[in-house]
């Protein structure tokens, strides 16, 4: 094979660097709950099990009846390639997926690649509280992120859970 040109050694390498401007014009948000759920002071990985102790529980007594609850916290993360626009909501459930026990409504804008923490402090009578049953049974705490599907996401499987004992 004979090339149609003559091969000669280069005299300068200055013309070997080229550039091409690129603009990213796509992508979707992807909301995730971070790695840990905090129940009381106890970090629990999503999908894991929390064995709660007296140190994790808060309680209050009304008319001789003791009520128990747990403060919980999580991190919302946008691992997508677009911002999650304001107005979406998260819902939290204890055992039954029918009626949420806590709702984080009207969440603010979450930029791509960013995260922020959210805590729900338990107090008796609060409409947004994780009341728990103190027994030896298994209970399930679930979080449904972007519960109304307002955010266009890479992965819309947004339900995460942890077991409580």
């Amino acid at each position: 094979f004979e090339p149609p040109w003559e091969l000669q050694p280069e005299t300068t390498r200055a013309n070997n660097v080229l550039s091409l401007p690129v603009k990213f014009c796509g992508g979707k948000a992807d909301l995730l709950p971070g790695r840990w759920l905090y129940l009381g002071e106890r970090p629990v990985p999503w999908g894991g099990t929390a064995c709660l102790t007296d140190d994790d529980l808060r309680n209050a007594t009304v008319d001789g009846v003791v009520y128990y609850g747990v403060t919980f916290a999580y991190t919302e993360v946008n691992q997508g390639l677009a911002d999650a626009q304001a107005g979406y909501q998260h819902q939290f459930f204890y055992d039954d997926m029918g009626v949420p026990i806590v709702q984080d409504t009207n969440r603010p804008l979450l930029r791509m690649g960013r995260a922020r923490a959210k805590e729900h402090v338990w107090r008796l009578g609060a409409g947004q509280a994780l009341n728990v049953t103190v027994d030896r049974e298994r209970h399930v705490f679930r979080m449904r992120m972007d519960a109304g599907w307002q955010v266009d996401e890479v992965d819309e499987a947004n339900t995460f859970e942890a077991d409580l004992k």
Side-chain angles (χ1 to χ4, degrees), residues 109-128:
L109 171 79
L110 184 57
R111 299 259 182 224
M112 67 180 194
R114 298 294 176 102
R116 66 175 158 238
K118 175 71 176 174
E119 180 180 46
H120 288 274
V121 177
W122 183 84
R123 64 183 188 283
L124 184 62
Q128 302 275 336

Side-chain angles (χ1 to χ4, degrees), residues 27-163:
K28 295 180 177 183
D30 195 14
L31 297 173
L32 296 169
R35 184 173 175 199
W36 299 99
L37 163 68
Y38 288 84
L39 294 166
E41 300 297 319
R42 188 171 308 281
V44 182
W46 288 103
T49 300
C51 293
L52 301 178
T53 67
D54 291 343
D55 294 336
D56 301 308
L57 300 174
R58 292 178 174 229
N59 65 64
T61 303
V62 176
D63 296 329
V65 178
V66 181
Y67 297 89
Y68 293 94
V70 177
T71 292
F72 72 93
Y74 67 96
T75 302
E76 63 181 338
V77 180
N78 182 356
Q79 290 187 345
L81 296 174
D83 296 342
Q85 298 301 317
Y88 60 94
Q89 68 173 323
H90 306 314
Q91 295 177 334
F92 301 87
F93 302 86
Y94 182 70
D95 286 338
D96 182 7
M97 286 288 288
V99 178
I101 57 165
V102 174
Q103 296 189 71
D104 280 341
T105 59
N106 201 25
R107 301 299 299 145
L109 171 79
L110 184 57
R111 299 259 182 224
M112 67 180 194
R114 298 294 176 102
R116 66 175 158 238
K118 175 71 176 174
E119 180 180 46
H120 288 274
V121 177
W122 183 84
R123 64 183 188 283
L124 184 62
Q128 302 275 336
L130 174 54
N131 297 311
V132 297
T133 305
V134 178
D135 58 21
R136 299 223 178 260
E137 301 298 316
R138 172 186 176 262
H139 298 278
V140 181
F141 179 76
R142 291 182 181 92
M143 174 185 194
R144 181 181 294 147
M145 298 190 82
D146 187 26
W149 295 279
Q150 291 103 330
V151 178
D152 187 20
E153 295 183 73
V154 173
D155 184 354
E156 294 285 355
N158 287 342
T159 302
F160 305 90
E161 64 182 47
D163 290 343

